[in-house]
Amino acid sequence: GVSIFRGARNAIFSLDDQQAGKGVLYRRLLHSAKFRVWYGGQVIWSEPTMQSREETATNVLQETGAALIHAHDHGRIISGQGTISLELLEQAPRMDTKRVPISGLRCRNVITVDDTETIKAMRLCYEILKVAVEPSGAIGLVGALSDSFRNNPAWKECNQIAIILSGGNVDLGSAVEFI
């Protein structure tokens, strides 16, 4: 998703010192937690099922009193990720369209994309921009290149398009096999 690092750092730095000292439970926050809690972190494994992750999380929370921060359903994560839009507006004030990857939302002006096109966009980013992006981070580009975008009258006059690419959590070897 859109720069989980921004959201994670915001969530971590929003904790008071007492709560930060008890720890943070979240699978992607280890790197961000190191910035706030200098002694690092502990990786706790669970089975790769939702039930196992929830049971493991419940046990850890009961044992440690750590703060639970959800990946996508946490206000501090969302507001931290949103800072990218502020930077974009500062750097490109004349843009008239912004394409960002989203999931789990149902709203007007959303373009859906297929996996094949997403992988092609990932490859395009890698070959031209020399940037590795994960599938969810490339869908803004896929949408902007799609017929759905180009043929939609609502976006006919769009000339200054900003696309947010994100993530590097990908095995390019595996992704390229699908192209």
Side-chain angles (χ1 to χ4, degrees):
V2 172
S3 187
I4 190 67
F5 184 70
R6 288 172 179 267
R9 284 199 52 159
N10 191 52
I12 294 293
F13 281 95
S14 295
L15 297 174
D16 62 37
D17 290 340
Q18 181 181 5
Q19 184 62 63
K22 292 179 182 179
V24 176
L25 181 61
Y26 180 69
R27 61 189 163 121
R28 294 186 189 174
L29 292 182
L30 182 59
H31 183 68
S32 296
K34 287 181 181 179
F35 285 102
R36 171 74 192 259
V37 183
W38 291 102
Y39 52 83
Q42 176 185 6
V43 177
I44 300 170
W45 297 101
S46 71
E47 295 297 318
T49 65
M50 184 62 77
Q51 180 180 352
S52 177
R53 286 190 293 257
E54 289 176 1
E55 288 173 1
T56 302
T58 299
N59 291 338
V60 170
L61 291 171
Q62 289 173 350
E63 292 172 13
T64 65
L68 176 63
I69 300 176
H70 291 277
H72 306 290
D73 192 20
H74 189 277
R76 297 292 183 179
I77 294 283
I78 295 166
S79 63
Q81 292 170 339
T83 63
I84 197 163
S85 292
L86 294 174
E87 287 184 34
L88 188 58
L89 290 169
E90 289 174 0
Q91 294 176 22
R94 293 179 32 174
M95 77 170 159
D96 52 26
T97 304
K98 178 174 41 174
R99 300 281 84 191
V100 298
I102 61 169
S103 65
L105 299 176
R106 293 183 184 177
C107 58
R108 289 178 219 86
N109 298 331
V110 172
I111 298 170
T112 58
V113 299
D114 67 38
D115 292 344
T116 303
E117 295 302 314
T118 301
I119 293 169
K120 287 180 183 178
M122 291 168 59
R123 186 175 196 163
L124 185 72
C125 289
Y126 185 75
E127 291 177 348
I128 294 175
L129 302 174
K130 306 300 184 213
V131 174
V133 297
E134 59 193 42
S136 63
I139 61 174
L141 176 59
V142 178
L145 296 174
S146 73
D147 288 337
S148 296
F149 178 75
R150 286 181 280 153
N151 296 331
N152 188 319
W155 297 310
K156 184 179 181 182
E157 302 299 321
C158 297
N159 296 310
Q160 303 291 322
I161 302 170
I163 302 169
I164 296 176
L165 303 170
S166 66
N169 185 20
V170 66
D171 176 5
L172 282 177
S174 296
V176 172
E177 291 177 18
F178 291 106
I179 296 177

